[in-house]
Each structure stands twice: as structure tokens, then as C-alpha cells.
Amino acid sequence: MSAQQSITPEKTAVRVALWRAMHLDVDEPPHVLEDEVGLRLAAPGDGWRRRPDMGRKATSGFRAGVVARARFVEDLVAERFDAGVRQYVILGAGLDTFAQRRTELASRLRVFEIDQPGPQEWKRRRLTELGYGVPEWLRMVPVDFEADDDWWQRLTDTGFDPSRPAVLASTGVSMYLTKDAVADTLAKAAKTAPGSTFAMTFLLPPHLVGPGGEAQRRRIRFRSYFTAEEMLRLARECGFPEARHISTADITRRYFAERPDGLRPEVGESFLLATT
């Protein structure tokens, strides 16, 4: 891979950023999340709305899921901040823009963004070009997952204090990992201090989702699926004393109840919420 090829954002990260921006353009208020910073970072050009993966109706469920999972995590960070937690770790940060949109909260935390070196260097450069910069409280942690880098060691080397509680979040990542890699992530996250919370999304097996889930499996070769029971058991085996399943229905009730436009997240992606 050439240097030019490696210093680019991941395609999935760009797609997520565009769906978040699209939510403001095509969905009725109240908006679950307001994020135009990701669109500025991605700078996709004037024709981005004509992309095949940006259809208003065809992508509504995925778009709703993307904004809902981001909102859920950010609400969790705010809740745990009120309880005294001052560290926030984003695994597979991509084009996450919490640090730029929620500066009043983020600047009172130490925020760690973990991602592949190339895409992260590209993002750092774009943040500088757009005038956001990288403040001292935002730590960008490059981890080469393809070379089996130890993200936990890299994190502590960058200033993370494992003796203090934290919120750790991983959304839209586990389905691209093997089950062994997911277990390794859980085991490392479980080493955080008592009072920490780990929020991770995972995909239910397609046969539990219905015909749409089977079609999804044919379109995209995801590497892992878990039933809720499997994920809860794995979290406990990896060291978390407490673990909860937050279903798509739970998220829908929380953020999409009584919406006149009928916007709802696609069924199939759930949250694990585990605490130390």
C-alpha cells in the first residue's frame, strides 16, 4: 500500500459522517443528533447526495441507527461526567466529532481517539486545515490493528490512567472483527478501574432479524454476530461483573417515540453496556 493510499479516511467512516449530516437535511426535527462537522471533514463534493448509498428512503433505517448510537454514547458520557468520570475513550474513532461539537463537555475530559495510523493522520490534518486543531485534552492514539498492535498499551502510553474510571465506546466496529478479537477487546476494556463503563454495538445473527437480516448478510461479509445472551456471557467471562443488553427497541423508545415521519433504526444492531 502506498503512503498516498494509506493517508485517507476509511470508506465506512465517511459513509457514517455523511449519514449523520443527511439526518439534518432530510429528516424532520427534532433531530437525534446535529452533526455537520463530519461533512466538513469528509468534504465529499457537491454530488455526494447522489451517491447510491445516500438514498433518502433506502438508507433511513441505517441513518437512524447511526445517529442514535452516537447520541446514546454521548448521553452516557454526560451522565458519567456528572458522576465524576473524566476519561473517554473512542475505539475506532473514524470521523467522530464529539470533541468538536461538544467542546463545553469534551474540554473538561481527557478524550482519547483510537484509530488506524493513516486515517488518523488524515483526520488530524483536516482538523488543522479547518481551524479546529487538536487541543491538549484530545489525545489521538494511532494503533495498527492489522499489525496486532496492543491498543491498551498504546492508550496508557498516551496518558490514559487505568487507575481512574472511564467511559469506553466502540460503535460499528465489532461486526468487522472475529469473535476472538471481540473477546480480546472486552478483556482489555474490563481492566479499567471500578466505576468504568464500556458501550459496544454488535450485530444480532441475521436469522433473528428476519428477511432483511439475511439480505444484509449477503450484501456485506461481516465477521461476527452474537445473540444477546452470547454477548452478555462473553462480557462476564472477559471480566465485567455487570453487563446489560440495550436492544434496538430500547433505543427506538428512547429517541424515536412518536416521531411523525416514522424514522426508526434498522433492527439488528444492539448495545452491550458493561460496567466494572
Side-chain angles (χ1 to χ4, degrees), residues 153-170:
Q153 185 62 53
R154 295 279 186 181
L155 180 63
T156 55
D157 289 347
T158 313
F160 179 79
D161 186 349
S163 69
R164 298 174 58 205
V167 173
L168 298 90
S170 174

Side-chain angles (χ1 to χ4, degrees), residues 82-186:
D82 289 342
V85 175
R86 296 294 183 269
Q87 298 186 108
Y88 174 33
V89 180
I90 310 171
L91 286 160
L95 299 187
D96 188 275
T97 58
F98 169 80
Q100 292 75 47
R101 292 179 294 102
R102 303 287 301 276
T103 308
E104 75 292 342
L105 173 59
S107 63
R108 300 167 71 184
L109 300 165
R110 183 159 287 183
V111 181
F112 299 85
E113 293 193 4
I114 298 177
D115 210 347
Q116 292 275 15
Q120 190 171 82
E121 178 58 30
W122 177 91
K123 183 178 181 181
R124 181 190 291 273
R125 186 181 302 166
R126 288 293 293 147
L127 288 172
T128 300
E129 291 170 354
L130 293 172
Y132 294 105
V134 181
E136 188 277 336
W137 46 262
L138 174 59
R139 306 293 176 88
M140 304 188 85
V141 186
V143 176
D144 189 347
F145 295 103
E146 295 177 358
D148 294 326
D149 261 2
D150 185 339
W151 66 263
W152 178 260
Q153 185 62 53
R154 295 279 186 181
L155 180 63
T156 55
D157 289 347
T158 313
F160 179 79
D161 186 349
S163 69
R164 298 174 58 205
V167 173
L168 298 90
S170 174
T171 62
V173 175
S174 70
M175 58 285 298
Y176 296 103
L177 306 177
T178 65
K179 289 194 173 185
D180 286 345
V182 172
D184 182 70
T185 298
L186 285 166

